[in-house]
Structures are given as C-alpha cells and as structure tokens.
Amino acid sequence: MCGIVGYVGEEQATPILLEGLEKLEYRGYDSAGVAIYDGKKLEVAKAKGRLKILKDMLHGGSDLKGTIGIGHTRWATHGKPSDINSHPQTSVSGKFAVVHNGIIENYLSLKQYLMRRGVAFVSETDTEVVAQLLEYYYKGDILEAIIRVISKVEGSYALGIICEDSPNELYAVRKDSPLIVGLGQGENFIASDIPAILNKTRDICRLNDNEIVVLTRSGITVYNTDKEEISKEPEHINWDISAAEKGGYEHFMAKEIMEQPKAVRDTISPRIKDGRIVLDDITLTPEQIKEFRRIFIVACGSAYHVGVVAKYILEKMTHIPVEVDVASEFRYRDPIIDEKVLVLVISQSGETADTLAALREAKRRGARVLSIVNVVGSSIANESDDVIYTWAGPEIAVATTKAYSTQLAVAYLIAIYMAEALGTITPEEYQEYIQELETLPDKIEKILENKQDIQYFASRNFNAKDIFFIGRNLDYAMSMEGSLKLKEISYIHSDAYAAGELKHGTISLVEDGTLVVALATQQKLFDKMMSNVREVKARGALVLGLTVEENKQIEQEVDFVFYVPKTCDIMLPSLAVIPLQLFAYYVASMKGCDIDKPRNLAKSVTVE
Ligand code: F6R
C-alpha cells in the first residue's frame, strides 16, 4: 500500500524523507516522490519505479534543499504507475502539495465540478482532486480550507499537506487510513506507518478520523473539524523494526488476514452508489452482456478457487453456463471459444505466466476478456478488454488471504451487475444482494473477533498428519481453498472432497483420529452434509464443523464447531473462508513454519 512520510524541523528534509520511504518499501509500491519548500517555493521531484531512481535523481537528497517536506511511495489505484501520477500532487498554481493514501470515491464528480470552473488537471489520480480543491477553497486560512475539503470528499484518506504560504507548517488529516505523528526535539514527523520514523523517534500520537494536525518544528496542535483543539496522549513504541513493519503482528499473513474487513470494504463501497452497482471501470454494455452465450473463468491456485465459487454464483444469477479452468490446462486444451464468450481472468499479481498465456489464447480465439486484478498496470490488466481492480493493497505473505477475499467480492459485483442487465434477478433480489454485500465487511470483522476459538482448535490438532476438507457445492469450493491454505503453509498433507464423493474411494483413508473439516454453511444441503459427517464419524474421524449461527443442531454431530454469521447462501463463502485461513495460519504458526515464505513457493509465478 502507499506510504507517507512528512518532516518539519531544522535538518535537511529530503534525506530524512527518502530514508523514511525506504523503511516503507517492504509494503510494495510502483513510484515515489517528495515535495520540499526550498525557501521560495515548493519543489517536487518524483519518479516511476524503485525509490533508488528518485534517490539517484536527487543525489541522495542533496539536490533538494529545505527543512520541511512530504514524501510518498505510491501503489497505483487511480491511473497507471507513471511520473505524472506519482505523489506529491500539486494544485494548479503549485501552491499546495499533497500526498495521499486511500481512495477518494467521489473524485470523478469533484474533478468535473472543478474542471467546469476552469481548473486544469494533469494526472489521472484521485489525489490531484484534493490538491486542487485545497487551492480552490483557500482564502488565506489553510486549516479552514482543509476542513472544507474533507467535508466534500468521500472515501478513505490519510493526507500530508504543505503550502507555500505557510512554509513552517506541515498539515495532516486522516479518515479510515492510518496516520501517525512522530514527536521529536526541534522536529516533528508524520507517517502512515511506524517503521518510517522509528529511527528518529519512538514517541508518537495516533490521529483519529477527521482530526487535523498542524506540525511545526517546535510542536503539534490537533484540531477537530470545528477548529477546536484536542489534546493527545503520546505513546512510546517499544517494538523493534521488524515487528513494526508487520504492524505489531508476528507475520504479514496475520496482518493481511486482519486487514480483510477494510480491503473488502474498499473494494465494494466505491462501486455501490445510491443502492446501485456502478462499474465505472468497465466498458461492457448491457447489450454486450446479453450477447454472451458462455463464460469461461481462468486462473491459478487460490484465484482459481475464487473462480470455482464464481461459477456457482454466475450460473445461479445469470443463467449463462460457466466453465472454470486452471489456466495451465486451459491454454493447451483447445477450448471452444468465439466472440460470444466472456473470459473472466482472475489474478492478484496480474503477472502469473499461465494466466497471462490463457488470456492471450482466449483473445486470439475472439473472446472478450474481463479481468479481476490487484496490481494496477500489470500485464494481465493491460492486456484485458476490461479490468476491475481489487483494492486489497499489496499482499506480502506468499499465501493469499485479502486478495482472495477481494476477488470474491468483485465476483459478486460482476454477477449481480450482469444479472440485472440480463433481467435474471428481480429488482427486489437485486436490492437484497447489494444490502447483503454491504454487510460482509462487518461480518468478517465479527468472525475475526472470535479468532481465539480457531486458535484453540488448532492448538489441539496442529500435529495432525492428514486433514480432509469436505463440503457440497459452494462449501466444496471453499474446502478447496481451506485445504490449499493449510498445506501450503503448514506442510500437512490435506485434500478437499465433494462430500458426496467420499464414499466412492477416499473414505478408505479415514481411520481413528483422522481430522475432517466439514463445511456445512449451505442451508439446503445441511442435512445431506450431516449424513456425510456421520459417515466419517462412524470410521473414527474427529470433525470440525463450520456452519451458520442458526444451525445449532450441528453440535450433536461434530466434535468442535465454529459458527459464521448468517448471510444469503451465495455470499457465505466470503465468511467461511476466514476461519479456514485462521486455522491454516495457527496450525503453521504452532508448527513453527516459515509462514510468510513457505518452502518452494513464490509470490508471483512468472514462469510456466
Ligand atoms: C495461494 C496463492 C496462489 C496464487 C496463484 C495465482 O495462497 O497465493 O495459489 O493464488 O499463484 O496467483 P495470482 O493471483 O497472482 O495470479
């Protein structure tokens, strides 16, 4: 995710900002930049690519002199990675410079508003809107202008702001995106993350939503949106740098599991406006949607498992037949494809070699390609006819969690959107699905609050030799993901089976003490699943049951149960996956595995 550092003090700001940004490099980014007040005006330097490019450009920082400045590493969201789209973004006269983490959801309407009033834009970013609005509302009082701007923007933001007219003051404000203030002697800092400033100060204040801080070299003042001063208790940080990078978690995977409510919210909410799904990102028209006779989904690994869930959902909602393929198989199997086929490509990295080759094959055969991608400007995104980005932010742990959840969220958006265009759901169903979709982030949060139950179960079973995951329909799709997650990070042998298929062979492996994870979230299949649970229990299996809160009768059938909140059946995978991720994580952690970098695996598989 993007990184922010800001400095005001007596030393040269540029080297401090570059050093702070270096400490945030682990989070992933595609461009970097700084803005400095040089005694006369704001000077901006920014470059696409590694921070080293910017550093070399500025000769380590010595080329840009000044004792106040802001710096940023950008992970592209609105607009491709490029010099122009990098932050800081400036206002039309260059008076204001802004760095921003988060997403301004209504940036397009604000941009159009300003353009109608003659404001010229240079970038594709949502952030430039903030810089331009600041100048537009500025009448000599920066604090006042910031308050006006935040009353207009919707979405999430952490903002660092400097203004030529007030060269000794650094401003910052946040909403739903982290920002801290670092307190030094004769110098003060802002940062999106503690590691950026940990070698400068260990005393910090955390900003709450809509608190605005004004920093000078001698102190800080925090205001609310009524311009009233707020007092803040500083906090002393005792963590070492590696713990700080992980936000206090032991592993990136744990951090990323916990980030899922926000990641899913960030992915869904900008695309639902006034109770309707608005996919500004794509050019597919309802008429074109009506022409599709078949949908193919291609992806690898966990992204493929999202595809398996998406098949059920798309077929149920759109009544269009859907085939799901592992990309490495699809590319060599002569799929029957023409221009009446939509190919849905799913990839976190956007660079997976097999998925990219499958996309090219689909296009060669005349299909229209819609992709779901996390990395903006990646090869898969660039080569697709349309792309819907997941707003998960960079995923560092090799085992995917938040990318999976956001891909699934986009699959729901696409299915509901297409179904409405096709008239295969009623207006009432459309509203109901959207309402349920909007509740998912809170429900995921609720599951995460009970994570110690899964931790307890993992503590009793982390020595298991084989673990089977079983389920039917959507629960079978989830079983596949649960099993993959477990084996890739804990090295325990595990397999997923359609529960009804067990008795056709695999049940011979079940013996006294074999651990079986039984997913039974789908209401219409609950009784059938209980029959399968009885089959494995009769052979001595120990069963963890996973179901929705209302199915309390499961307690008579299984040894341990974990409940997820109720939602409509098709959205239960978004909830069921969370305990499965937690289970894999805790088992691997108790076994002492290298969770973030499991053996033999790479984050992005760019070879066939
Ligand atoms: C498993 C995992 C992998 C990826 C797969 C596809 O936890 O992360 O199975 O899902 O390698 O990667 P992307 O989504 O980058 O195409």
Side-chain angles (χ1 to χ4, degrees), residues 4-5 16 19-21 23-24 190-200 241:
I4 289 178
V5 193
I16 293 173
E19 194 185 342
L21 293 176
K23 298 284 190 301
L24 298 180
I190 56 166
S192 52
D193 238 337
I194 294 169
I197 55 170
L198 208 55
N199 62 349
K200 293 286 174 193
I241 187 87

Side-chain angles (χ1 to χ4, degrees), residues 299-304 346-352 355 380 395 397-401 403 407 481 484-485 488 601-605:
C300 299
S302 291
Y304 165 76
I346 309 175
S347 176
Q348 186 283 130
S349 61
E351 300 296 347
T352 302
T355 312
I380 290 175
E395 203 176 47
V398 164
T400 183
T401 52
Q407 286 162 355
E481 178 59 7
L484 177 65
K485 208 88 310 177
E488 68 180 323
L601 294 179
K603 184 66 187 159
S604 181
V605 186

Side-chain angles (χ1 to χ4, degrees), residues 304-320:
Y304 165 76
H305 295 155
V306 172
V308 181
V309 177
K311 171 187 163 69
Y312 284 95
I313 303 165
L314 279 163
E315 284 188 339
K316 182 179 164 63
M317 287 204 189
T318 66
H319 306 173
I320 301 176

Side-chain angles (χ1 to χ4, degrees), residues 11-22 34 36 45 51-66:
E11 290 182 41
Q12 286 303 311
T14 310
I16 293 173
L17 296 179
L18 292 173
E19 194 185 342
L21 293 176
E22 242 167 35
V34 293
I36 302 286
L51 189 59
K52 188 170 177 321
I53 299 173
L54 179 69
K55 228 174 148 176
D56 290 350
M57 208 166 99
L58 297 172
H59 299 104
S62 57
D63 276 11
L64 211 50
K65 301 247 187 288

Side-chain angles (χ1 to χ4, degrees), residues 43-162:
E43 281 290 346
V44 176
K46 47 194 197 174
K48 179 183 163 191
R50 310 300 300 167
L51 189 59
K52 188 170 177 321
I53 299 173
L54 179 69
K55 228 174 148 176
D56 290 350
M57 208 166 99
L58 297 172
H59 299 104
S62 57
D63 276 11
L64 211 50
K65 301 247 187 288
T67 57
I68 180 168
I70 48 180
H72 194 259
T73 43
R74 173 174 188 253
W75 165 271
T77 57
H78 295 69
K80 59 188 174 303
S82 69
D83 292 354
I84 295 275
N85 288 337
S86 314
H87 301 198
Q89 289 290 322
T90 49
S91 59
V92 73
S93 72
K95 194 187 274 293
F96 283 93
V98 173
V99 287
H100 166 221
N101 287 0
I103 294 169
I104 305 298
E105 291 171 9
N106 59 339
Y107 85 102
L108 213 51
S109 57
L110 292 170
K111 187 168 176 173
Q112 284 158 356
Y113 172 87
L114 289 171
M115 284 170 74
R116 281 196 299 273
R117 280 152 186 81
V119 179
F121 280 76
V122 294
S123 80
E124 301 161 287
T125 65
D126 50 343
T127 306
E128 189 182 356
V129 168
V130 176
Q132 302 282 24
L133 271 183
L134 278 167
E135 181 162 327
Y136 185 74
Y137 288 130
Y138 176 61
K139 303 279 176 285
D141 181 340
I142 298 170
L143 187 59
E144 187 65 42
I146 293 174
I147 292 169
R148 276 296 291 278
V149 170
I150 62 175
S151 75
K152 298 285 174 200
V153 297
E154 289 163 16
S156 59
Y157 47 82
L159 297 167
I161 301 162
I162 49 176

Side-chain angles (χ1 to χ4, degrees), residues 472 497-509 532 535:
R472 286 169 177 263
Y497 285 94
E501 183 67 10
L502 264 190
K503 58 175 118 19
H504 297 285
T506 312
I507 203 161
S508 64
L509 294 173
N532 298 126
E535 283 164 11

